[in-house]
C-alpha cells in the first residue's frame, strides 16, 4: 500500500466509485460524449496509470487529460466527494515533466511567466495587442513563425478593452467613506489589473462605501493559478511567495475579484504545503460583501440582466447564493435566471487558447443559454469567463454587455 | 373432438408433448370476442376450468397466485375482506383469470399501471412442445430473467399456455365514485373530454361514451373522501354509482352491457387522443374511447380503418393470421420466430383461451 | 486490398467517430459494476439508425460481439464489454427528442437521451418522465430500457416497463424492428429489461406523466429498523399509495452526512424513513394526517415534513447520492438489488446483517421499502483478492436469502455479469432454456452482449458448445 503514501493523487482517486453522476456536469463530456473526456474516465485513467495499466507516456492518456477544463463542476456533482482537481493537477505536473512534453511545458511556462506573471511585460503586450486589434494587425500574427496552436490562439484572442478601462489602481491605503467596519486588502491580480482595471476600481469604491479600509499592497502579483492548473508547480512557487510577502498580516480579509484566483489562493496550503494563514483570509468579493452587508442603501439600477456562475466560484469555492443575494438588493435590477448557470463557458484559464475548437463549442452552448434569457446584460465575476463570453456574444447581431458584479454594485452607489 | 380437462400442470405437459409429437393441432378452446376462430382445423380442446385454485394470497404484500381457471368472481370474493382488488380490465366476474390475461384488451382503466400487462408479475407456462417453465416471480418489482409474462398477456395463448399466475393487487381506495355527464353533442363532448384529460389530476377512468349522434362522459374517481368530493365539484357531473358498484361499473362496453356474448362486430384499437376529433362525427358510432386513446366500438360501415389509429390486428375480419401479428415487417418476423419456437402444436389458426367458464354451468358451446 | 475490422468501422462512421486508442478502450472497460473489466475492441459512436444497423451487420459478418452502451451507469455489469473483444456502440451521440405530444402524453426519443433531460424538456408543459433511477441525471432512456430501470418512485408509478410504448431496434440479425405496444404481441415488454441481448435500441416511444399538483415529503428517524419497516407495512395496507417509501440505515446515514450531499439526516438514528406523498392537493392533504398518525404510533425519534421544493430536494439529495457517498468507506463498492416481500423486510434485513458479519464485510443498506427492493451496499477493497472474494460470496448469499424469502435476485439493476450465477436460485434449467430459446428469436447467433445474463457452466444442455456461453455461435 506504499502507492497511496507515495502518490497522494492516487489515494484521492480511490474515492471514486465509478457511478457516473459526474457525466452530466462535465462540459467536455457534454460536448464530446466520450467516456475518456469525462471526469470518471479521467480518474480511471489516472488510477490505471498509478496501478501500471497504462503508461504515462501513452499519447491518448495525455490527450484525455489535456482536454479537461479543470472547471471542477464534477466536484459539485460527486456524491463521494472526490477531490478531482487535486488528482488532475498532480497528473498535469507529472505530464509536464515527461521528456516528450518538456519543451511544450517550458514554452507554456515562459509564456505564462512573461505575458501574465510579469506585470510590465503583461501591460506592454496588452497595449500592443489592443493597438494591433485596433489597427487590424491581428492577422499578421498568422504569418509569423509561432507554433501552430499559438497562432490559432492569437487569432482567437478576445477583444482587449481600451486603455482607460484597463488603467490599474495605484497601490496605497484607501479610507472608508463612512465609519470603518473592516480592515481588508484588495488583491489586484495580473489579468484583472491589466485588463480589468475598471473592475478593480469599481470594487474598491464599493468596498470603501461598505465601510472598509482597503489596502492595495504594491508588491503583489499573479496568484499562480494558471501555472498550477498547467502542472507547473515549480514556477508557481515564487509567485505565491511574492504574494505572501506583499500582504500585511493583520487584516480581516484579502478580497479577490477574480474567482479563479480566489479559488487557487484558498487552496495554497494543499498545493504548496504552506500559506495556510494567508489562505484562510482569502475571500471572494461577493462572499465578503454578502456576509458583511452592503452598509449603504443601494440606488436603483433599472436593468434586466442574468448571472453566470464562474466555475471557480460555484464549484471551486462553493459560492452560489452570495452574488444573487447582493444583486437582489439593488432596486429595479431584474435578474432573469440563466439555464445551466453553473456550466463552464469554455474559457477555463488559457484552455480556450490551447483547445480552441472544443472551447468554442462549449462557448456556443453558453451563448445559446444567454440568448434564451432574452436579456442583453450578463453579469459574472471572473476575467477569463468575462472576456471569453464577451467574444462569443460579440458575434451575435444584437449588442450584449458583460459586466463584473462589482461594476453593477458600483452603479448602485 | 375431444376435450381435455387437466387437473395438474403435469397432465398439461404430457398432453402437449404428446400432441406435438403426433402433430395434432390443439385449441385451448373457448370464447373470445372476435378472434375469428376457425373451428374446422381444431382437433382437441384444452379446458383449464378444473385448475381453479387460489394458490397464495399475501394481503400485506399486495400479491396473490392463482391458477388459470380461477374465476374473477371467486378471486374478488377472496380479496374483498382484505380491501383488495385485481385490476381486471373490461371483464366481469364470470371470466377466468387465464382468459382475462390471455385476451387483455384495452379498457377504461387500462392506462398507466392499470393495464393488465402490469398486473401479471409471474407465470408458470407450458409451451406447445410440452416444455414447462417459470418466468417472473412473486414480488411486484423484479427484473430477473426475460419477461415472458408480457409474451403471454394479450397473446390469446398463441405461444404458450399459462397455468398459474402471480398477480399484483391494489388496495381499494377509501371512496370510489362513478360520475356521468348529461348527454352532450358530439363536438361538445369531445371538447369537454379533452379538457378533462388535462384538468382532472388522476381519474381512475375517463371515458367518452359515443351513442351515435350524441355522447356522454364517464369518470371513475378513487381516493380519499375529500379528494373525490373536490373532483365531483370540479366536473359538475352527477354521481351515478358508488363503492364497489362504481369500481366494477366502468370497464368497457362488455361490462356495461353485461351481455352473455360480446357483440360480434366489436372493434378495438388505439388512436392518439389528439387525432380523435378528425374522424369522430363522420359516421354515427356506438362505443367508447378510453383515457389514453384506446377505443372499442361497433365496426364502422365498410370496415374503414380510422385515421391515425392502430387497429388491433386480431380484430381484422377474414384475414387468416396466426396469433397477433404486428404491422411492422421486422416485428412480424420476430413474432413468427416466437411462434416457431414456442407454439408447437398450439393454435392451428388463432388460439383463444377458454375465457368463458361460468360457475352457473358447464363450459359453453365453443363453436360459433 | 481488404479492409480490416477497424477500417470498416471507419468506412461506416468516418474517422472522428471510431476509436480504439488505449485510453478510450480502458475508459470503456467497465460500467458501475467494479468487479469485472474487459476492454472492447473498438468504440463506435453512431448518430443515425442506419449507422447502427450498418455496424450491427458488420459485426455479424466479422463475428465480433456487440455491446450497446448509454452512460455506463449500470450496476450489474450490463454495459461492461464481454470477454471476447467487442464493438462497443456508444449511443451518447443519439440524444435528440424526435417528437412529442403534450396532449397524447407521448414522446419519441433517441435511445441515448438522458432520462432527466427528457423531463426537463417536457416539463415546460407540466409533464415528466416518471421512472427515476438514482442515476437519472446521467443514465440514458436506452440504458433504462435495457435494464428495466426502477427508482424510488416505482412503488406508485411502476418500472420503466410501465412507461415504454414502443421501441425501434436493430435485432441480432441486423434487421430494423419497430415494436409498438398497441400493435401485435408485446415485443416491447420482452425487449424491456433484455439487457442488450436482443439488439440495439435506437428510438424509444415513452409515456409522459402529468406532474403532481402537490408533493409532501416526510422524514422520520427511528431507533430501530423494525419500527421503520413496520411503519412501511402499515402505510401500504392502509391503502395509501405514497410515491416513494425509502429507508436508509445507520451506516448509510453517516456516509451521506459526511459527503457533499449531506441532507441533515439525524446521525444517531438506526433508520431513516423517507415518505413522499404526491398527487392532487386534496388527496395529499387528506393522506398526510393518516401518515403522521401511523408514524407517531411507531415512536419515531423525530418527524419532519415539508412541501417546499428546495427542502424536499435536500432530503432527497442525500438519498440519491447515497450510493456514491458510500464510496468513501472503501475503494470499491457494489450494490445488490434483491427484492423480498415487504412483510418480510425486517426479518430479512437482520439476516443480511448477519451475513455481513459472517464474511466480515462492511455492509450498509438503503432501499426502496415500498416494494421490498433492498439495496445492500458491500464496501470492499478491490485490490485485496480475499476481501473481494468475501464480498462476492456475501452478495450471493444475500441473493439466495432473498429468493428463499419469496423474492427476487434483482429488482431494478439487472443480471449482467454480477448476478448471472444467482439466476439458478430463481430459475431451473427448463426456465433458463426457455429464456435461451426466446433470446434466439431475437439474436440467433448470440452476437448481442454475450456472456451475461445466463449462468456459466453446467447449463448448455441443448448441444451448444462450451464457449457459446461467452463467445459467439459462429
Amino acid at each position: 500500500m506504499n502507492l497511496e503514501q507515495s502518490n497522494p493523487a492516487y489515494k484521492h482517486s480511490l474515492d471514486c466509485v465509478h457511478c457516473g453522476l459526474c457525466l452530466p456536469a462535465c462540459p467536455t463530456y457534454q460536448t464530446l460524449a466520450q467516456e475518456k473526456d469525462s471526469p470518471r474516465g479521467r480518474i480511471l485513467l489516472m488510477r490505471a496509470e498509478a496501478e501500471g495499466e497504462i503508461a504515462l507516456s501513452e499519447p491518448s492518456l495525455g490527450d484525455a487529460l489535456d482536454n479537461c477544463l479543470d472547471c471542477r463542476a464534477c466536484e459539485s456533482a460527486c456524491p463521494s466527494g472526490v477531490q478531482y482537481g487535486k488528482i488532475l493537477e498532480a497528473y498535469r505536473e507529472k505530464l509536464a515533466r515527461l521528456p516528450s512534453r518538456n519543451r511544450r511545458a517550458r514554452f507554456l511556462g515562459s509564456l505564462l511567466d512573461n505575458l501574465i506573471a510579469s506585470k510590465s511585460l503583461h501591460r506592454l503586450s496588452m497595449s500592443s495587442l489592443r493597438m494591433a486589434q485596433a489597427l487590424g494587425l491581428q492577422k499578421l500574427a498568422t504569418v509569423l513563425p509561432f507554433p501552430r496552436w499559438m497562432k490559432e490562439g492569437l487569432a482567437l484572442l478576445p477583444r482587449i478593452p481600451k486603455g482607460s478601462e484597463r488603467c490599474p489602481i495605484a497601490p496605497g491605503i484607501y479610507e472608508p467613506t463612512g465609519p470603518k467596519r473592516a480592515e481588508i486588502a484588495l488583491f489586484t491580480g495580473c489579468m484583472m489589473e491589466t485588463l480589468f482595471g475598471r473592475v478593480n476600481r469599481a470594487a474598491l469604491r464599493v468596498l470603501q462605501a461598505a465601510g472598509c479600509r482597503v489596502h492595495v499592497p504594491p508588491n503583489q502579483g499573479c496568484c499562480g493559478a494558471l501555472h498550477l492548473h498547467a502542472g507547473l508547480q515549480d514556477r508557481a512557487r515564487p509567485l505565491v511567495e511574492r504574494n505572501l510577502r506583499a500582504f500585511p498580516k493583520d487584516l480581516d480579509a484579502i478580497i479577490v475579484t477574480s474567482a479563479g484566483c480566489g479559488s487557487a489562493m484558498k487552496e495554497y496550503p494543499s498545493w504548496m504545503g504552506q500559506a495556510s494563514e494567508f489562505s484562510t483570509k482569502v475571500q471572494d468579493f461577493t462572499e465578503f460583501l454578502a456576509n458583511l452587508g452592503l452598509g449603504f442603501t443601494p440606488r436603483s439600477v433599472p436593468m434586466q440582466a442574468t448571472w453566470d456562475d464562474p466555475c471557480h466560484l460555484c464549484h471551486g469555492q462553493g459560492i452560489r447564493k452570495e452574488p444573487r443575494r447582493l444583486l437582489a438588493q439593488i432596486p429595479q435590477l431584474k435578474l432573469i435566471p440563466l439555464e445551466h448557470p453553473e456550466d463552464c463557458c469554455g474559457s477555463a484559464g488559457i484552455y480556450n487558447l490551447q483547445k480552441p475548437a472544443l472551447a468554442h463549442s462549449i462557448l456556443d452552448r453558453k451563448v445559446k443559454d444567454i440568448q434564451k434569457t432574452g436579456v442583453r446584460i450578463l453579469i459574472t465575476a471572473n476575467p477569463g469567463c468575462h472576456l471569453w463570453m464577451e467574444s462569443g456574444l460579440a458575434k451575435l447581431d444584437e449588442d450584449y454587455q458583460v459586466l463584473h458584479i462589482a461594476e453593477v454594485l458600483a452603479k448602485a452607489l | 373432438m375431444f376435450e381435455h380437462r387437466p387437473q395438474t400442470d403435469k397432465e398439461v405437459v404430457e398432453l402437449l408433448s404428446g400432441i406435438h409429437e403426433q402433430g395434432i393441432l390443439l385449441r385451448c378452446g373457448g370464447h373470445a370476442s372476435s378472434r375469428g376462430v376457425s373451428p374446422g382445423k381444431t382437433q382437441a380442446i384444452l379446458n383449464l376450468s378444473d385448475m381453479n385454485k387460489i394458490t397464495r394470497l399475501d394481503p400485506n404484500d399486495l400479491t396473490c397466485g392463482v391458477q388459470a381457471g380461477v374465476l374473477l368472481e371467486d378471486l374478488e370474493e377472496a380479496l374483498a375482506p382484505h380491501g383488495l382488488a385485481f385490476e381486471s380490465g373490461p371483464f366481469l366476474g364470470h371470466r377466468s383469470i387465464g382468459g382475462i390475461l390471455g385476451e387483455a384488451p384495452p379498457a377504461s382503466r387500462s392506462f398507466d399501471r392499470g393495464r393488465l400487462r402490469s398486473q401479471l408479475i409471474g407465470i408458470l407456462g407450458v409451451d406447445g412442445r410440452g416444455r414447462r417453465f417459470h418466468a417472473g416471480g412473486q414480488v411486484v418489482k423484479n427484473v430477473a430473467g426475460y419477461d415472458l409474462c408480457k409474451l403471454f398477456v394479450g397473446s390469446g395463448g398463441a405461444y404458450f399456455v399459462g397455468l398459474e399466475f402471480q398477480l399484483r393487487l391494489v388496495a381499494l381506495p377509501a371512496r370510489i365514485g362513478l360520475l356521468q355527464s348529461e348527454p352532450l353533442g358530439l363536438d361538445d363532448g369531445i371538447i369537454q373530454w379533452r379538457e378533462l384529460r388535462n384538468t382532472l389530476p388522476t381519474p381512475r377512468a375517463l371515458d367518452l361514451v359515443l351513442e351515435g349522434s350524441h355522447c356522454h362522459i364517464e369518470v371513475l374517481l378513487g381516493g380519499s373522501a375529500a379528494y373525490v368530493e373536490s373532483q365531483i365539484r370540479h366536473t359538475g357531473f352527477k354521481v351515478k354509482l358508488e363503492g364497489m358498484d362504481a369500481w366494477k361499473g366502468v370497464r368497457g362496453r362488455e361490462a356495461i352491457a353485461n351481455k352473455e356474448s360480446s357483440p360480434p362486430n366489436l372493434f378495438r384499437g388505439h388512436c392518439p387522443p389528439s387525432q380523435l376529433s378528425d374522424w369522430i362525427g363522420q359516421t354515427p358510432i356506438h362505443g367508447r374511447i378510453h383515457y389514453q386513446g384506446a377505443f372499442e366500438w361497433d365496426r364502422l360501415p365498410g370496415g374503414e380503418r380510422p385515421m391515425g389509429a392502430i387497429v388491433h390486428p386480431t380484430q381484422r375480419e377474414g384475414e387468416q393470421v396466426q396469433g397477433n401479428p404486428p404491422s411492422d415487417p421486422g416485428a412480424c418476423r420476430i413474432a413468427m420466430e416466437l411462434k416457431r419456437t414456442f407454439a408447437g402444436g398450439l393454435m392451428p389458426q388463432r388460439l383463444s383461451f377458454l375465457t368463458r367458464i361460468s360457475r352457473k354451468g358447464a363450459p359453453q358451446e365453443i363453436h360459433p | 486490398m481488404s479492409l480490416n475490422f477497424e477500417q470498416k468501422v471507419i468506412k461506416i462512421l468516418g474517422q472522428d467517430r471510431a476509436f480504439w486508442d488505449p485510453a478510450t478502450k480502458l475508459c470503456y472497460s467497465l460500467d458501475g459494476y467494479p468487479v469485472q473489466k474487459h476492454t472492447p475492441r473498438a468504440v463506435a459512436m453512431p448518430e443515425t439508425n442506419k449507422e447502427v444497423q450498418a455496424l450491427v451487420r458488420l459485426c455479424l459478418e466479422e463475428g465480433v460481439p456487440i455491446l450497446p452502451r448509454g452512460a455506463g451507469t449500470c450496476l450489474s455489469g450490463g454495459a461492461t464489454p464481454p470477454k471476447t473483444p467487442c464493438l462497443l456502440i456508444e449511443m451518447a451521440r443519439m440524444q435528440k427528442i424526435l417528437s412529442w405530444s403534450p396532449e397524447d402524453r407521448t414522446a419519441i426519443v433517441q435511445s441515448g437521451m438522458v432520462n432527466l433531460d427528457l423531463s426537463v424538456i417536457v416539463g415546460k408543459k407540466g409533464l415528466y418522465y416518471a421512472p427515476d433511477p438514482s442515476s437519472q441525471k446521467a443514465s440514458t432512456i436506452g440504458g433504462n430500457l435495457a435494464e428495466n430501470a426502477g427508482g424510488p418512485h416505482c412503488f406508485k408509478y411502476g418500472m420503466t416497463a410501465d412507461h415504454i410504448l414502443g421501441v425501434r431496434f436493430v435485432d441480432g440479425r441486423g434487421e430494423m424492428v419497430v415494436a409498438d405496444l398497441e400493435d401485435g404481441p408485446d415485443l416491447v415488454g420482452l425487449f424491456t429489461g433484455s439487457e442488450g441481448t436482443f439488439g440495439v435500441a435506437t428510438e424509444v416511444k415513452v409515456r409522459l406523466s402529468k406532474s403532481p399538483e402537490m408533493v409532501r415529503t416526510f422524514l422520520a428517524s427511528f431507533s430501530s429498523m423494525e419500527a421503520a419497516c413496520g411503519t412501511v407495512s402499515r402505510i401500504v395496507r392502509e391503502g395509501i399509495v405514497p410515491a416513494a417509501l425509502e429507508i436508509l440505515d445507520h451506516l448509510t446515514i453517516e456516509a451521506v452526512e459526511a459527503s457533499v450531499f449531506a441532507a441533515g439526516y439525524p446521525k444517531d438514528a438506526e433508520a431513516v424513513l423517507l415518505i413522499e406523498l404526491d398527487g392532487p392537493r386534496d388527496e395529499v392533504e387528506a393522506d398526510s394526517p393518516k401518515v403522521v398518525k401511523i408514524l407517531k404510533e411507531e415512536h419515531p425519534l423525530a418527524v419532519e415534513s415539508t412541501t417546499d421544493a428546495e427542502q424536499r430536494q435536500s432530503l432527497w439529495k442525500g438519498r440519491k447520492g447515497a450510493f456514491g457517498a458510500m464510496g468513501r468507506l472503501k475503494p470499491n463498492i457494489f450494490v445488490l438489488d434483491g427484492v423480498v416481500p415487504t412483510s418480510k423486510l425486517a426479518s430479512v434485513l437482520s439476516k443480511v446483517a448477519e451475513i455481513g458479519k459472517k464474511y466480515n464485510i462492511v455492509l450498509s443498506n438503503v432501499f426502496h421499502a415500498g416494494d421490498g427492493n433492498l439495496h445492500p451496499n458491500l464496501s470492499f477493497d478491490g485490490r485485496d483478492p480475499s476481501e473481494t472474494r468475501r464480498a462476492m460470496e456475501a452478495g450471493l448469499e444475500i441473493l439466495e436469502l432473498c429468493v428463499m424469502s419469496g423474492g427476487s435476485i434483482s429488482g431494478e439493476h439487472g443480471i449482467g455479469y454480477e448476478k448471472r450465477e444467482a439466476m439458478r436460485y430463481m430459475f431451473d434449467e427448463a426456465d433458463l432454456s426457455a429464456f435461451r430459446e426466446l433470446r434466439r428469436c431475437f439474436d440467433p447467433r448470440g452476437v448481442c452482449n454475450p456472456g451475461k445474463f445466463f449462468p456459466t457452466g453446467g447449463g448448455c444442455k441443448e448441444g451448444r458448445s462450451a464457449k457459446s456461453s461467452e463467445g459467439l455461435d459462429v
Side-chain angles (χ1 to χ4, degrees), chain A residues 4 18 33-35 40 78 80, chain C residues 19 31 45 71-72 260 324 383:
Chain A
E4 284 177 52
H18 217 250
Q34 275 214 63
E35 190 70 27
R40 173 173 72 167
C78 178
S80 300
Chain C
F19 308 88
D31 58 13
M45 303 185 77
V260 292
R383 298 164 303 174

Side-chain angles (χ1 to χ4, degrees), chain C residues 340 347-349 351-352 355 396-407:
Chain C
V340 294
S347 70
V348 169
L349 280 168
K351 285 183 199 150
V352 168
I355 294 173
L396 281 176
E397 197 165 324
I398 291 170
L399 295 182
E400 195 173 6
L401 170 68
C402 290
V403 177
M404 301 294 281
S405 316

Side-chain angles (χ1 to χ4, degrees), chain C residues 25 28-31 33 36-43 59 63-69 76-89 195-197 416-417 420 439 443 446-453 456 467-472:
Chain C
K25 279 161 74 166
Y28 284 107
S29 64
L30 76 164
D31 58 13
Y33 175 64
Q36 207 145 349
K37 271 200 220 178
H38 307 294
T39 48
R41 178 162 175 178
V43 175
C59 288
V64 175
I66 302 157
L67 171 67
R69 188 183 195 271
S76 61
T80 295
K83 211 166 175 182
T84 315
C86 68
L87 178 69
L88 188 146
I89 301 184
E195 305 196 10
T197 59
Y417 272 127
R420 56 182 176 158
R439 182 185 178 185
D443 178 19
V447 75
C448 301
N449 206 3
K452 323 272 182 73
F453 203 84
T456 54
K467 77 158 201 179
S468 67
S469 68
E470 179 62 70
L472 289 170

Side-chain angles (χ1 to χ4, degrees), chain A residues 20-292:
Chain A
L21 289 184
C22 53
L23 300 182
C26 177
T28 55
Y29 180 79
Q30 285 303 303
T31 310
L32 300 168
Q34 275 214 63
E35 190 70 27
K36 73 169 172 184
D37 290 308
S38 75
R40 173 173 72 167
R42 292 181 197 114
I43 292 172
L44 179 115
L45 288 172
M46 294 186 276
R47 187 163 160 176
E49 191 279 331
E51 288 172 354
E53 271 187 78
I54 188 168
L56 190 63
S57 56
E58 164 58 40
S60 57
L61 169 72
D63 286 348
L65 299 188
D66 284 347
N67 266 357
C68 178
L69 296 145
D70 199 8
C71 71
R72 295 164 62 183
C74 49
E75 291 190 13
S76 295
C78 178
S80 300
V82 175
Q83 292 170 298
Y84 175 82
K86 286 190 181 154
I87 313 172
L88 179 81
E89 273 140 22
Y91 267 85
R92 289 218 163 138
E93 192 190 1
K94 272 187 155 187
L95 280 170
R97 280 198 251 113
L98 273 181
S100 58
R101 289 175 158 246
N102 203 293
R103 244 181 83 194
R104 192 176 144 199
R106 276 212 313 268
F107 177 74
L108 187 62
S110 56
L111 187 79
L112 287 176
D113 278 352
N114 294 329
L115 289 184
I116 308 238
S118 155
K119 284 190 190 182
S120 47
L121 273 171
H122 186 35
R123 266 177 219 161
L124 187 65
S125 58
M126 289 306 150
S127 326
S128 25
L129 265 175
R130 164 77 194 164
M131 205 185 299
Q133 284 184 345
L135 296 170
L137 293 180
Q138 207 169 356
K139 279 183 197 147
L140 190 65
T142 55
V143 296
L144 294 176
F146 294 150
R148 200 172 65 90
W149 68 264
M150 202 186 146
K151 272 191 198 176
E152 286 171 358
L154 283 172
L156 289 160
L157 269 186
R159 185 188 69 89
I160 308 294
K162 56 183 188 237
S164 60
E165 289 180 13
R166 302 204 311 269
C167 176
I169 310 178
I173 297 173
Y174 295 82
E175 296 298 330
T177 48
K180 186 182 120 175
R181 297 163 72 213
E183 181 97 17
I184 60 169
L186 182 65
F187 174 79
T188 52
C190 49
M191 289 266 279
M192 281 310 287
E193 198 189 22
T194 46
L195 280 174
F196 287 104
R198 69 164 203 266
V199 170
N200 277 343
R201 277 179 280 130
L204 177 64
R205 281 171 54 216
V206 174
L207 289 166
Q208 282 177 286
C212 299
R213 188 162 186 265
V214 187
H215 297 247
V216 182
N219 293 321
Q220 57 171 316
C222 173
C223 66
L226 294 178
H227 299 75
L228 288 168
H229 297 320
L232 305 168
Q233 251 93 328
D234 292 345
R235 289 182 191 252
R237 195 169 293 274
L239 301 175
V240 175
E241 280 160 4
R242 177 174 70 184
N243 280 332
L244 290 184
R245 283 194 303 273
F247 281 85
K249 295 275 175 281
D250 47 352
L251 293 169
D252 295 326
I254 298 167
I255 306 305
V256 184
T257 51
S258 149
C261 306
S263 167
M265 291 162 76
K266 285 180 178 176
E267 288 166 10
Y268 275 168
S270 66
W271 273 338
M272 320 293 293
Q274 58 186 41
S276 56
E277 201 194 337
F278 176 87
S279 288
T280 51
K281 286 190 182 161
V282 172
Q283 284 194 44
D284 186 73
F285 173 74
T286 59
E287 178 188 14
F288 173 77
L289 208 57
N291 292 334
L292 181 74

Side-chain angles (χ1 to χ4, degrees), chain B residues 206 248 299 310:
Chain B
L206 174 58
K248 292 178 181 173
R299 196 174 295 282
I310 290 173

Side-chain angles (χ1 to χ4, degrees), chain C residues 76-295:
Chain C
S76 61
T80 295
K83 211 166 175 182
T84 315
C86 68
L87 178 69
L88 188 146
I89 301 184
E90 163 66 90
M91 300 301 289
R93 292 267 180 109
M94 293 180 69
Q95 48 171 291
K96 282 193 278 296
I97 184 163
L98 299 172
S99 67
W100 66 290
S101 160
E103 176 163 7
D104 299 332
R105 283 179 221 141
T106 56
I108 299 175
V109 302
Q110 288 185 314
S111 59
M113 173 146 224
V114 171
N115 176 312
L116 194 61
D117 288 357
L118 174 59
S119 288
V120 168
I121 293 172
V122 302
K124 292 167 200 154
K125 297 274 184 187
L127 302 174
Y128 75 116
Y129 174 64
D132 63 338
S134 293
S135 62
Q136 72 177 143
K137 278 201 290 185
S139 60
T140 62
I141 301 283
N144 292 172
L145 167 81
E147 301 297 324
N148 192 5
H153 290 87
C154 294
F155 176 60
K156 182 170 183 178
Y157 295 104
M159 307 281 292
T160 297
D162 296 316
H163 299 267
I164 303 289
L165 302 173
V167 188
R168 177 194 285 274
F169 62 95
V170 180
D171 71 5
R173 291 181 193 81
E175 300 292 331
M176 191 65 80
V177 178
V178 182
D180 191 303
L181 200 53
E182 308 298 344
D183 187 14
D186 194 351
L187 298 183
V188 178
L190 287 176
F191 193 91
T192 309
S194 63
E195 305 196 10
T197 59
F198 286 0
V200 186
T202 63
E203 288 170 17
V204 189
K205 183 176 177 191
V206 299
R207 165 178 296 131
L208 305 173
S209 307
K210 268 197 283 188
S211 308
E213 190 184 1
M214 187 188 202
V215 186
R216 181 177 279 281
T217 305
F218 297 84
L219 180 78
S221 49
F222 294 91
S223 55
S224 79
M225 183 58 87
E226 287 73 24
C229 294
T231 309
V232 169
S233 286
R234 288 190 56 193
I235 289 173
V236 174
R237 281 298 281 121
E238 197 81 358
I240 301 169
V241 189
L245 280 163
E246 301 283 304
I247 294 180
L248 289 79
D249 77 351
H250 182 68
L251 201 55
T252 311
I253 298 165
E254 277 185 342
V256 166
E257 287 306 308
S259 78
V260 292
F261 282 168
Y265 295 156
K267 285 185 193 173
D268 55 342
E270 278 304 310
V272 158
L273 170 61
L274 259 167
I275 306 167
E276 191 157 284
L277 295 178
D278 74 1
R281 179 174 294 276
D282 301 307
E283 183 81 335
V284 174
E285 281 176 355
D287 281 344
S288 294
K290 291 188 209 160
V291 169
V292 171
K293 184 166 171 278
I294 295 172
L295 278 173

